[in-house]
Amino acid sequence: MKSFCQVFLLAFCALVLAAVPVLTAFSEAGDYSLYENRTLASRPDFSLSALLSGDYFEGWENYLRDRVWQRDTLLALDARLETAAGRLFVNDVLTADEALLPYVEGIDPDTVREDAARMADQLAAIAAQVESYGGVFLYVGVPNQYSVFRDGYPDYMDYIAEGLDAALDAFYAALDARGVAYLDVGAALPELSSFYFQTDHHMTLSGGVETCRLIFDALREAGVAIPDFLADLSYHRLPNPFYGSRGRKLYGLSPFTDQVEVFDAAPDVAFSRRDNGEEVDASLYTLPETDSEPVDYGMFMGGDIAETILTTERPALSDALIFGDSYTNTIETVFYTGFDETRSLDLRYYEEQSLSAYLETYRPAVVVCVRDDANYLNFTGNGSLF
Amino acid sequence: MVFSSMVFLFLFLTVSLPAYFLVPARCRRARNLVLLAVSLFFYFFGEPVGILLMLASIAGNWLFARGIGAGRRAKAWLIVSVVFNLVLLGVFKYADFLITNLNALTGLALPPLGLAMPIGISFFTFQGMSYVFDVYAHRVPAQRNILHVATYISMFPQLVAGPIVRYETVAAELEDRRETLPRAAEGARRFIYGLAKKMLLSNAMGEIAAAVFAEDPGTLAAPVAWVGAVAYTFQIFFDFSGYSDMAIGLGHILGFTFPENFRYPYVSRSITEFWRRWHMSLSTWFRDYVYIPLGGSRCRPARQLFNLLVVWALTGLWHGAAWNFVAWGLYFALILAAEKLFLLKVLQRAPRAVGHLYALTLIVLGWVLFNSPSLSHAAGYFAALFRAPDTARDAGQALYYLRQYLPEWLCCILFSLPVAPWLRQKLDGRAWVLPAVTAAACALFLLALLSVVSSSFNPFIYFRF
C-alpha cells in the first residue's frame, strides 16, 4: 500500500503538470475574455531587449495564465469554491438580496470636506466660464448602483454608507456655497431601484431616460427652450443574455438575470453622428444579430467614446455639451432630442484639449456634467477639469 | 521565476525534472550538469543580466576556496573572499542606502547608483561565504571542480529564497546521493504543502496586510491595525515557510537533504525560542559564522551584549537596506539581551499562557516594524495599534476582514500549531491514514493549482532579500 500511494501521488502530480501545457497547446481559445471584458495576452515576441529586461519571460507567464486550457471553466470553478467556502465577496462581488454589489472602499468622513471644497471650486470655475458667455451649467449627480442597493451590505459595513453620505453632504453643501446648479437624481427620482440593473453598475435605458427628463426639467427652469420628445417612449426587453459588469465576475453564478431594454420606437428626431471626428451610422445602440448573442451596457451609444457629436439640424434650438463617465451613455440616447447639436465628451479618453479650452472653442449654450456618487470626489478622468 | 508561477509549474518542472531523471543515476556528473544547466536557466529567467553577478560570485568563491585549500596564506584568502562577497552585497544591495544616509549626514549630493538588486543575492552570497568558511575551517576540502561549487550555489530549489544550505550539509550529496521513490513521494508531498501554504493561506493574508499597511497610519483604527499586523504575521510565516517546504520538497525529489527552516515558531514562549524556530538556516549561519567567532556567550556580559547587537544589526540589515530593518534587528537584540539577563527565568516560572502571549505580542509588533516602509510609518502604526477605537467604522472594517477571510484565518491558526505532528503520532500505523493523506495531498495540489491560475495577487516576500 505504501509503495502504491507513493507511485500514485507522483504519477498524479506528473500527469497534471504535463497534461495542462499539452492541453493548453492544443486548445483553441479566443483572444477575448467575455467574462473579464478584456483581450487576452498574446504570445510574447522575442527580442534581445525584451529578453534582457525580463519582459519576454514575464510575457510567457501572462500568456500561459490567460490561455491555460479551460480557463473560463477553471475560473468558474474557483468562484464556485469561494462561494461554497462562505466568502462574503467573491471576486469583489457581494450577492445581496436585490442585486450584485461591488466591494466599496470606505471613505473616512473626516477627510472628505477638503476634497469636496476642491472639487466644488473646480466645478464653480467651469460654471462661471459657461455663464460668462451666456450659457447654463448643470451638475448631475447619479447614484451608483451600490448606493441604491446599499442595504444589501451587512450591518457591520454600514460605515461605508456613512462615509459616502458624509461625502455627498459635504459635496452638495460645497456646491450650494458656491452657487453651482446641481441635480441630485437620487433625491429626485422615485423608486430608484427599478431603474438599475441587478448585475451591472449602471442605470437601465429607462433610468437614463428618466434622468434625462429630470435634466430637461431643470434646464427649462433655467430658461433653456427644450422640446419634449420623451413623453411617449416605451420599451421592450431583448431576449439576449446580458453580461453585467458584476455578473460576469461571477462566471455564471449570479442568481439574478437582467435583460436589456430598448425603445419600442426611438425618439422621432433625425440626426447625424460623428465619433472622434469620423462620420458613423446614426444609431443610439447596437442591436445584436441573433437572440442568443450576449449583450452588455457597451451597446448604448457605442460604449465609452472620447468625443461624439450628434447633429439634428434644428438651428432654433441650443447647442449642448454633456460630459461624464459611462452613466451618460443611456442618458445620451435621448439627450440629443432637446438640442440642435449635442457634443459628448468622456474626459477619460479625450486628450485633444482641456475641458476649459473646449468650452472656449465651441461655447455650447448648455453644459451638463454627469457623475455617479462613487466618483464625486474623484479628481481623475471626468473629474480632471483643467 | 517563482515556484507558484505558471511557467515554473507547467513548463520548467515538466521539462527539467524529466531531463534530470532521463540521465542514468550512475552518471552522477552528467545529472549534476543537467541540474546546473536548469538551475542557471531558472535564474536567467528572472535575472537575465543579474546572472552574471551570480556567476562572478561562484567563480570568486571557488577561487578563494582553492587558495585557502592550497594551505598558504589561508587567512589572507579568507579576508579577500569576505571583502569580495561584502563588496558584491554592498554595491548591489546597500550602496544607495549608504549614499542616501551619507548625503543626509554631510549635506553632500552624491547621486545614487540606482543599480537593480539581483533576486536572491543575499542567499547566494551567504551560501558562497559558507563554502569558503567551511573550507577554511577544514570542515570540507576545497573543490577542484568549479561545476560542483556552481551546482551548490545555483541549485534552483533554494537559490533565491533559501533555506541557506551550508556547503558541508550537501557536500557529500553533490557527489553521491540516491534519488528514491519514497524520497520523491515525500518531496512531492512537501512541495504540495508548501504550494498550498503559499497560494491558499499566505496570499489571502497578504491581501489584508497589503490593504491595511497601505492606509495612512494616522487615521488607522486600532482593530484594523491589529487585524493587519496579525494578517502580516501569518502572511510572512506561510509565505516563507511555504517556500522553504517547496524548496525542501524539490531537494528530496532531486536526492538532497536541505535543512529545516521553520519549526512552528508561533508556539514559542519566548523570543529566544522563537529564533530557534524561525528561519533556522539564517540564525545558525549568523550563530556559527559571526556570533561564535566574535566570542559568543562565553565572555563578559558587556561583550556578550555587544556580540548580540552586532549579530542582530547584521541580521536586520541582511533583510534589507533600510533603517526599519536595522531597528527590527536591534529590537530583537534588546529583547534577547533582556531574556538572557533575567526575563527568561521569569517567563519559565510564569504560566505557559503568559509566555505565549508575551512572545506572540512581541513577534507581531516586530513584524509591524519589518513591514513598514519607513520608521515614521512604523511609529504611526504602533500608535494606531494602541489608539482607542471610537467609531463603528473602526470595528466594522476589522470585522469585514475577519468575515471575508474566515476560512483562511481558521486555517492559519490551525496550521501555525503543530497539529500535523500531533495527528501523525495519534494515527500512526492505521491502514487508512496513508491513502487518506495521499488523497488529501492530491486534492490540495489541485486547489493550489486552481489558485495559481485564478489569482492575480501572488507576491513572494523573501524574494526581495
Side-chain angles (χ1 to χ4, degrees), chain B residues 37-121:
Chain B
V38 298
S39 296
L40 290 178
F41 177 76
F42 175 86
Y43 195 72
F44 177 72
F45 189 94
E47 285 290 348
V49 179
I51 192 170
L52 297 175
L53 195 71
M54 189 180 73
L55 293 175
S57 171
I58 290 167
N61 285 306
W62 173 76
L63 193 70
F64 302 135
R66 293 280 293 157
I68 291 167
R72 284 182 303 167
R73 296 180 185 164
K75 196 160 195 171
W77 280 110
L78 179 73
I79 291 167
V80 171
S81 83
V82 170
V83 170
F84 169 78
N85 282 296
L86 292 184
V87 165
L88 276 190
L89 265 182
V91 170
F92 287 91
K93 187 167 179 177
Y94 300 106
D96 284 350
F97 175 64
L98 283 174
I99 289 170
T100 309
N101 285 289
L102 198 65
N103 287 345
L105 270 176
T106 61
L108 290 170
L110 299 172
L113 300 181
L115 295 171
M117 189 183 85
I119 295 168
I121 187 172

Side-chain angles (χ1 to χ4, degrees), chain B residues 70-411:
Chain B
R72 284 182 303 167
R73 296 180 185 164
K75 196 160 195 171
W77 280 110
L78 179 73
I79 291 167
V80 171
S81 83
V82 170
V83 170
F84 169 78
N85 282 296
L86 292 184
V87 165
L88 276 190
L89 265 182
V91 170
F92 287 91
K93 187 167 179 177
Y94 300 106
D96 284 350
F97 175 64
L98 283 174
I99 289 170
T100 309
N101 285 289
L102 198 65
N103 287 345
L105 270 176
T106 61
L108 290 170
L110 299 172
L113 300 181
L115 295 171
M117 189 183 85
I119 295 168
I121 187 172
S122 304
F123 287 97
F124 70 68
T125 307
F126 267 40
Q127 293 213 159
M129 290 170 87
S130 136
Y131 166 61
V132 177
F133 292 158
D134 286 350
V135 171
Y136 181 78
H138 302 293
R139 284 193 279 262
V140 289
Q143 265 296 339
R144 283 168 175 271
N145 188 345
I146 190 172
L147 296 181
H148 261 76
V149 179
T151 309
Y152 156 66
I153 291 181
S154 70
M155 210 185 307
F156 77 86
Q158 43 75 55
L159 172 58
V160 290
I164 299 169
V165 181
R166 288 159 60 166
Y167 184 70
E168 64 170 313
T169 310
V170 291
E173 287 178 335
L174 276 168
E175 299 192 31
D176 182 26
R177 61 184 180 276
R178 290 188 63 209
E179 298 91 342
T180 62
L181 176 69
R183 291 200 74 193
E186 173 55 29
R189 194 158 40 232
R190 191 74 186 264
F191 182 85
I192 290 169
Y193 293 159
L195 187 66
K197 277 181 175 180
K198 164 69 192 151
M199 295 309 303
L200 305 178
L201 301 182
S202 172
N203 283 358
M205 292 295 113
E207 285 183 28
I208 302 170
V212 174
F213 275 81
E215 286 194 37
D216 174 9
T219 57
L220 197 58
V224 182
W226 277 105
V227 164
V230 175
Y232 186 74
T233 301
F234 283 132
Q235 182 197 0
I236 194 165
F237 171 59
F238 286 107
D239 179 294
F240 196 17
S241 75
Y243 201 95
S244 292
D245 283 341
M246 287 187 267
I248 291 167
L250 287 168
H252 277 319
I253 293 171
L254 298 169
F256 289 95
T257 310
F258 296 154
E260 290 296 330
N261 224 8
F262 294 89
R263 209 156 40 87
Y264 300 102
Y266 294 154
V267 301
S268 303
R269 291 167 58 199
S270 67
I271 296 303
T272 306
E273 187 184 354
F274 171 72
W275 279 106
R276 286 188 191 128
R277 292 171 175 270
W278 178 274
H279 202 175
M280 288 142 62
S281 64
L282 180 72
S283 310
T284 50
W285 197 100
F286 272 109
R287 184 196 65 199
D288 294 349
Y289 296 132
V290 182
Y291 186 65
I292 290 173
L294 281 173
S297 304
R298 295 180 178 176
C299 49
R300 286 175 292 112
R303 175 69 194 197
Q304 267 189 55
L305 183 64
F306 171 77
N307 294 347
L308 267 179
L309 286 174
V310 169
V311 166
W312 285 97
L314 289 176
T315 303
L317 262 180
W318 179 88
H319 284 85
W323 283 115
N324 65 307
F325 288 116
V326 179
W328 175 76
L330 293 176
Y331 164 83
F332 279 114
L334 292 176
I335 297 169
L336 289 168
E339 287 188 357
K340 218 176 243 299
L341 290 173
F342 67 96
L343 206 50
L344 218 46
K345 286 175 191 153
V346 176
L347 287 168
Q348 275 161 357
R349 283 196 296 269
R352 293 174 70 92
V354 172
H356 288 303
L357 190 66
Y358 153 84
L360 265 181
T361 307
L362 291 178
I363 290 164
V364 171
L365 296 179
W367 290 134
V368 169
L369 195 51
F370 188 89
N371 193 39
S372 291
S374 65
L375 284 177
S376 59
H377 183 281
Y381 202 104
F382 284 131
L385 286 170
F386 299 103
R387 186 180 297 140
D390 59 352
T391 66
R393 175 177 190 267
D394 296 355
Q397 200 183 350
L399 269 176
Y400 158 72
Y401 285 128
L402 294 175
R403 171 66 183 78
Q404 171 70 5
Y405 297 95
L406 186 61
E408 284 87 351
W409 283 110
L410 295 176
C411 286

Side-chain angles (χ1 to χ4, degrees), chain A residues 1-3 5-10 12-14 16-18 20-21 51-54 57-58 60-61 64-66 68 71 73-75 77-78 81-82 85-92 103 105-109 111 156-157 159 162, chain B residues 4-11 13-14 41 44-46 48-49 181-182 184-185 188-189 192 219 392-393 396-397 399-401 403-408 431 434-435 438 441-443 445-447 449-456 458:
Chain A
M1 177 56 85
K2 197 171 179 180
S3 294
C5 287
Q6 289 165 348
V7 171
F8 181 84
L9 180 65
L10 288 171
F12 180 82
C13 292
V16 171
L17 290 181
V20 170
L51 180 76
L52 294 180
S53 68
F57 290 131
E58 199 182 315
W60 273 104
E61 179 68 23
L64 270 180
R65 195 178 291 275
D66 271 8
V68 69
R71 182 170 180 274
T73 310
L74 294 173
L75 295 183
L77 177 64
D78 185 63
L81 287 173
E82 298 241 324
R87 188 84 81 209
L88 191 62
F89 288 82
V90 173
N91 293 337
D92 283 343
Y103 174 69
E105 293 279 351
I107 303 171
D108 186 345
T111 62
Y156 58 83
M157 294 183 81
Y159 68 92
E162 287 160 14
Chain B
S4 56
S5 67
M6 301 281 288
V7 169
F8 179 80
L9 291 164
F10 295 119
L11 294 184
L13 277 187
T14 52
F41 177 76
F44 177 72
F45 189 94
V49 179
L181 176 69
R189 194 158 40 232
I192 290 169
T219 57
R393 175 177 190 267
Q397 200 183 350
L399 269 176
Y400 158 72
Y401 285 128
R403 171 66 183 78
Q404 171 70 5
Y405 297 95
L406 186 61
E408 284 87 351
L434 195 57
T438 305
C442 291
F445 189 47
L446 293 179
L447 273 179
L449 290 182
L450 185 61
S451 182
V452 170
V453 171
S454 62
S455 172
S456 55
N458 193 11

Side-chain angles (χ1 to χ4, degrees), chain A residues 12 35-36 55 64 85 118 137 167 213 232 235 255-256 282 294 334 349 356 367 378 383:
Chain A
F12 180 82
Y35 286 109
E36 290 162 285
D55 290 347
L64 270 180
R118 209 174 116 215
F137 176 80
R213 204 189 301 277
D232 300 323
Y235 315 89
F256 306 107
V334 285
Y349 308 107
S356 184
V367 177
N378 179 354

